[in-house]
Amino acid sequence: MISVEEYLDQVTAGVEPLPTVELPLEEAAGCVLAEPLVAKLAVPPFTNSAMDGFAVHAADLKGAGPDSPIKLPIFEDVAAGDSSDNELKPGYATRIMTGAPVPPGADAVVKVEDTNIKPGPVDLPDEVQFFRETPVGKNIRKAGENVQVGDEIAEAGLVVTPQLMSAAASIGYATIPVVRRPRVAVIATGAELVDPGHALEPGKIPDSNSILISALARSFGAEVTYRGRAEDSPDNLAKVYREAAENADLIVTSGGVSAGAFDVVKELGTKAGFNFAKVQMQPGKPQGNGAIDFDGRYVKVVSLPGNPVSVYVSFILFVRPVLSLLAGFGRMDLQGVPAVAGTDWKSSKGRRQYAPMVAKYDEGELTVYPTHEQSSGSHLIATLHRATGLVVVPEDVDEVAKGDRVEYFPL
Ligand code: AMP
Ligand code: MG
């Protein structure tokens, strides 16, 4: 048996980021920025008002007070979207809306609530009264005060979040360069599998792994380009591999990697030079990986065991890092937090346990409970969705008691 760390190194060896593509902003969410973004527009692009109110010369309001209001005639009206560049002369006020360009000459904006004018949709008044002085610059957002043309606002390697998409739009981009999303093909193997929702003949079970792997891949930003099933025969699997590889950067298989007489992924893969390992973990001991030659292009294959909880755990431990390397994130190892066991459970000695757990705060402590009394049973797919994360129990521990300190990995 080899350790999880050793196998992770093997699975991720040589995996490089995919090529850069230019994507429309709204399609780039979750990708990694491939080149720095340099502002093509300043933010704000022009000096504008931060309030609905009146643009003035601050000096005109000197001496204004609750009992000595200052009255100014209105010069004009500037709404958001207007482009008036009429100079505001001393002794006048211009009604102005949030986001509208501040007229040349004006050096402050007084918000409508601080005048005698009713806020909201009212006709342009002839004059306005002010009840206090205003400092120069008040309620004015200066052109370029956030960023200026030429400023680098994001470096390569950042994740494209909704906030970054919005920032890119504001500095003039409609498309951005990102690392291409990994294309994943999913193959479930097993003669016992039928499509979900179909009546079960004796000995058959619904294929629940394909949907799990596809949905996990999508949730980590990949595009799923193929989903298929192979029978337990090497010829059929070889044919399915070719179909899967055509539009994929990564093929993920489930089942057929263990010690069974019909473990076809292992049988075919062994001939093709794949690496099969027994990893010191539970669930998920049998693992495999390799590459298939699709007309000169090598497509990576990660072969997970068949039991659904093993699939989930090994996807998180091994497939996710491969995806994150392809997508340009780097390997992204899991981050654990300390927690307390809320009950007793068993673990298998000699293998590191990855047990699906529900975590909640009990008396101020992060406390974890197995999602099922058999804790990390690899077939317990119908309760896996209740888990908020995984608890990792070291290789040399075979029992966890209520109150023990454990390491919890939120997912
Ligand atoms: P295997 O490694 O192929 O022997 O599969 C191990 C266990 O996982 C068996 O009980 C299989 O029936 C089950 N299994 C394999 N593939 C799937 C699948 N796609 N969906 C649900 N269970 C599966
Ligand atoms: Mg099988």
Side-chain angles (χ1 to χ4, degrees):
M1 282 209 276
I2 63 172
S3 70
V4 169
E5 287 72 21
E6 260 177 275
Y7 186 68
L8 179 60
D9 286 344
Q10 293 176 7
V11 162
T12 53
V15 181
E16 295 286 340
L18 293 165
T20 297
V21 290
E22 188 76 19
L23 284 188
L25 281 179
E26 60 185 69
E27 289 170 30
C31 292
V32 167
L33 194 61
E35 287 159 28
L37 293 185
V38 174
K40 300 195 256 191
L41 298 174
V43 179
F46 52 86
T47 297
N48 69 86
S49 177
M51 288 289 171
D52 297 316
F54 295 86
V56 294
H57 288 258
D60 286 343
L61 304 193
K62 263 232 138 41
D67 303 321
S68 52
I70 286 179
K71 203 188 287 180
L72 296 177
I74 304 274
F75 171 55
E76 63 171 346
D77 209 11
V78 189
D82 285 352
S83 63
S84 168
D85 51 7
N86 296 329
E87 166 107 16
L88 179 70
K89 297 203 173 56
Y92 289 87
T94 277
R95 186 166 78 167
I96 191 165
M97 301 303 142
T98 305
V102 172
D107 59 11
V109 170
V110 177
K111 62 178 195 265
V112 61
E113 294 87 341
D114 290 347
T115 71
N116 65 322
I117 305 298
K118 207 168 117 248
V122 296
D123 290 342
L124 186 64
D126 295 331
E127 54 180 35
V128 51
Q129 287 183 30
F130 300 93
F131 302 95
R132 63 173 88 120
E133 299 185 353
T134 184
V136 168
K138 183 78 178 169
N139 295 325
I140 288 181
R141 309 190 286 208
K142 284 227 171 64
E145 73 181 14
N146 188 183
V147 298
Q148 307 208 344
V149 172
D151 285 354
E152 181 178 310
I153 71 124
E155 56 277 14
L158 286 187
V159 180
V160 180
T161 57
Q163 303 89 305
L164 180 53
M165 291 153 73
S166 176
S170 76
I171 60 165
Y173 288 79
T175 64
I176 52 173
V178 294
V179 179
R180 177 158 66 64
R181 239 176 247 291
R183 298 167 308 165
V184 174
V186 179
I187 302 173
T189 70
E192 71 277 36
L193 304 175
V194 298
D195 283 338
H198 279 238
L200 294 183
E201 306 269 331
K204 308 287 184 191
I205 57 166
D207 167 16
S208 59
N209 286 347
S210 302
I211 191 78
L212 175 61
I213 297 169
S214 311
L216 280 169
R218 283 197 198 96
S219 78
F220 292 115
E223 186 191 342
V224 175
T225 50
Y226 180 90
R227 212 171 106 190
R229 268 209 311 271
E231 295 155 14
D232 286 332
S233 95
D235 286 351
N236 182 251
L237 179 60
K239 177 176 149 272
V240 174
Y241 269 146
R242 277 197 69 77
E243 290 170 14
E246 188 170 359
N247 293 307
D249 305 302
L250 173 67
I251 298 174
V252 181
T253 69
S254 85
V257 291
S258 191
F262 308 101
D263 278 343
V264 66
V265 174
K266 193 168 184 180
E267 188 182 339
L268 184 67
T270 303
K271 287 184 199 141
F274 282 31
N275 161 33
F276 290 94
K278 289 195 176 83
V279 184
Q280 251 170 336
M281 58 190 277
Q282 191 284 318
K285 180 172 72 169
Q287 300 285 341
N289 70 93
I292 58 169
D293 177 355
F294 184 79
D295 303 339
R297 183 172 65 90
Y298 281 87
V299 181
K300 180 152 193 99
V301 182
V302 178
S303 292
L304 309 179
N307 280 303
V309 180
S310 311
V311 168
Y312 177 70
V313 169
S314 32
F315 190 103
I316 298 297
L317 290 184
F318 308 125
V319 180
R320 186 186 181 204
V322 170
L323 287 178
S324 65
L325 284 167
L326 289 170
F329 292 105
R331 205 168 80 173
M332 292 233 302
D333 294 331
L334 291 179
Q335 300 290 321
V337 294
V340 173
T343 182
D344 305 342
W345 73 85
K346 291 204 181 329
S347 174
S348 49
K349 197 160 184 163
R351 284 158 75 192
R352 189 185 299 167
Q353 183 183 43
Y354 291 86
M357 293 277 159
V358 188
K360 44 192 168 195
Y361 277 94
D362 283 350
E363 291 157 21
E365 290 238 65
L366 188 64
T367 309
V368 291
Y369 299 87
T371 48
H372 188 273
E373 62 192 16
Q374 290 183 38
S375 63
S376 56
S378 60
H379 60 298
L380 303 171
I381 185 57
T383 43
L384 177 63
H385 63 284
R386 301 207 177 275
T388 54
L390 297 170
V391 161
V392 178
V393 181
E395 288 81 340
D396 57 349
V397 174
D398 58 1
E399 233 167 326
V400 177
K402 183 175 174 175
D404 284 356
R405 297 260 142 206
V406 293
E407 197 176 16
Y408 169 69
F409 293 82
L411 291 169

